Amino acid sequence: MIDQRLLHRRAAQGAIAMVCVTLALVVLARFTGGGTDYRPEGETVAAVDLLFTDEPGGAVAVFNADTGAEIITYGENEGVFVRAVMRSVARQRRMRDQGPEIPVRLERLENDQLWLTDPASGVDFYLGAFGPDNTALFDEILAAESGIITAQAQGDRP
C-alpha cells in the first residue's frame, strides 16, 4: 500500500513546483514584454473616420464621418466580417455607456498593417490578425474611400 505521508509530501512538492514555475513565467513575461498589448507601429499612410448605420432590409452602410459621403453599403449577407467587428465595437461601447455617434478610425500604416481604432471604447483591432480574406473587406472600404476622395478632387461626383 501507498504511504499517505509520502502521497501528501509529493502533492505539496508538486504545488510548490507549480507556484515556482508560475512565478518564473510572470517574471520572464514582465521583463521581456511578453503578454503585453500589441500596438500599431509606424506612420499612417491612409486613414478615414467611419460611421456605420443599419439600413432597412438588413443592410449596413459605411459613411465617411468627416464628409458624410457614403463609402459602401453591405447587403444582408455581405460584409460578414465587417459586421462582426462592428458588433464587437458596439458591445464595447454599450459596456461603457457610449453610443454610435463617435466614429471609428481605419488606418493603414507604412508597414501595410491595417488597424481599426475605436476612440469611444479605447479598443484597437489589428485586422491583419484575422487573415487576408477578412482584411480585404476593410481594404475595400479604404480603397472605396480613396476613390471618392480622388473623384471629388477631380470634380466628379462619387
Side-chain angles (χ1 to χ4, degrees):
M1 295 241 285
I2 298 176
D3 182 12
Q4 291 295 324
R5 289 181 291 168
L6 179 62
L7 187 60
H8 291 293
R9 188 177 3 202
R10 297 282 184 198
Q13 289 171 343
I16 290 170
M18 188 173 5
V19 167
C20 289
V21 167
T22 302
L23 183 60
L25 289 174
V26 168
V27 169
L28 180 67
R30 182 78 171 138
F31 286 113
T32 63
T36 58
D37 290 340
Y38 183 67
R39 296 285 180 209
E41 294 180 10
E43 295 294 319
T44 300
V45 294
V48 62
D49 291 329
L50 304 171
L51 290 171
F52 292 78
T53 61
D54 292 322
E55 301 291 322
V60 172
V62 183
F63 293 91
N64 179 314
D66 296 327
T67 66
E70 183 174 330
I71 298 172
I72 196 167
T73 298
Y74 294 107
E76 185 176 358
N77 296 318
E78 299 174 328
V80 175
F81 179 66
V82 172
R83 291 169 184 265
V85 169
M86 294 317 299
R87 275 195 303 271
S88 179
V89 168
R91 181 177 177 274
Q92 292 294 325
R93 287 182 175 196
R94 277 193 308 275
M95 289 173 25
R96 292 167 177 79
D97 293 323
Q98 299 286 331
E101 63 280 348
I102 299 172
V104 295
R105 184 163 188 80
L106 180 61
E107 291 180 281
R108 174 169 307 289
L109 303 182
E110 64 188 352
N111 57 8
D112 212 32
Q113 291 183 356
L114 199 58
W115 287 82
L116 186 76
T117 303
D118 180 23
S121 67
V123 175
D124 296 323
F125 294 92
Y126 169 52
L127 299 170
F130 298 99
D133 291 341
N134 291 323
T135 303
L137 291 172
F138 282 95
D139 274 330
E140 183 179 79
I141 293 171
L142 208 51
E145 170 58 20
S146 178
I148 290 170
I149 290 172
T150 302
Q152 288 173 343
Q154 294 173 352
D156 298 334
R157 296 206 57 167

